[in-house]
Amino acid sequence: MRNGGPEHYRPFVQAYGPYIYKTVYAVLQSPHDAEDVTQETLLQIYRSLPNYRMDGLKTWITRIAVNKAIDFKRSRARRPEQFIDDDGLDRKETSFAGEGMLAAMPAPAAESVAIRQEELRQVQAKVKEMPDQYRRVVTAFYIEEKTYEQIAAETGLALKSVESKLYRARSWMKRHWRKEDFE
């Protein structure tokens, strides 16, 4: 197998593939992920054959399989899959009974809620520093998420006046606010 090329590797895959899959599945507890990592493990074993010292084959392939599974699990933990919900909050994907199905979304972590509230507090403090003529339309448009028409109706301004005030408010913000103020 070591010197014979890819065609001599097939019997190895048939003999040890199920064993590698079971080993990887024991770490990951996900059939889909275990299949992917088993494939990566088999490729890694094939590439590493020239370095193999002919000493304890099953131990060697088990170590490669477990290391690949652990690396996969760590990379998943660093980069969880994110979904944006209708309310705009990020939510992590969770699996249902290890079958890869999307289960009920967990509530956002307390830390992310606190960070979001702090960011909103900073923005609101900055908006309070704005001149009165801009503060009302900026608050209505960006914080209260009202349309130009709603703002015009509530303030008694013409639609074009609302657009102009928002344009001038944006210009004022660009001149007076720095990105560092919000970090």
Side-chain angles (χ1 to χ4, degrees):
M1 175 179 76
R2 187 173 179 179
N3 299 324
E7 64 276 355
H8 291 95
Y9 192 62
R10 184 178 315 275
F12 173 83
V13 171
Q14 290 170 341
Y16 287 98
Y19 170 77
I20 293 170
Y21 176 83
K22 288 176 190 173
T23 303
V24 170
Y25 183 82
V27 175
L28 299 177
Q29 298 296 311
S30 166
H32 179 71
D33 293 340
E35 288 175 10
D36 291 344
V37 174
T38 298
Q39 291 296 319
E40 290 177 23
T41 302
L42 289 166
L43 285 170
Q44 182 65 45
I45 290 170
Y46 183 77
R47 284 189 220 115
S48 300
L49 278 173
N51 300 330
Y52 175 59
R53 290 180 256 146
M54 300 296 182
D55 187 15
L57 178 66
K58 201 164 188 177
T59 304
W60 183 66
I61 63 173
T62 303
R63 189 172 57 238
I64 292 173
V66 169
N67 287 341
K68 280 284 186 190
I70 290 170
D71 289 346
F72 179 84
K73 202 170 189 175
R74 284 181 184 155
S75 71
R76 218 4 115 73
R78 282 192 301 267
R79 293 180 285 109
E81 294 180 21
Q82 297 285 319
F83 293 96
I84 304 299
D85 204 349
D86 292 339
D87 61 3
L89 297 174
D90 287 350
R91 302 197 193 262
K92 293 181 183 169
E93 176 188 9
T94 58
S95 62
F96 179 72
E99 296 174 4
M101 295 171 56
L102 191 62
M105 300 276 198
E111 181 181 354
S112 64
V113 170
I115 290 171
R116 212 174 160 127
Q117 288 175 342
E118 177 60 22
E119 289 171 347
L120 182 60
R121 189 196 61 74
Q122 286 178 345
V123 169
Q124 288 172 335
K126 284 302 214 177
V127 168
K128 287 181 182 176
E129 297 174 4
M130 296 181 77
D132 291 337
Q133 63 205 29
Y134 302 139
R135 187 180 323 125
R136 283 181 32 208
V137 291
V138 166
T139 301
F141 186 73
Y142 289 107
I143 296 175
E144 297 170 2
E145 298 179 348
K146 295 180 179 176
T147 64
Y148 286 9
E149 292 80 12
Q150 290 171 322
I151 298 168
E154 290 176 7
T155 59
L157 296 170
L159 189 61
K160 284 291 185 186
S161 296
V162 172
E163 290 176 16
S164 295
K165 284 189 180 284
L166 277 170
Y167 176 79
R168 290 184 190 129
R170 287 185 202 109
S171 297
W172 187 91
M173 288 186 269
K174 286 178 186 174
R175 285 191 314 270
H176 293 89
W177 293 355
R178 299 174 311 193
K179 182 179 177 185
E180 297 83 33
D181 294 340
F182 298 95
E183 293 178 346

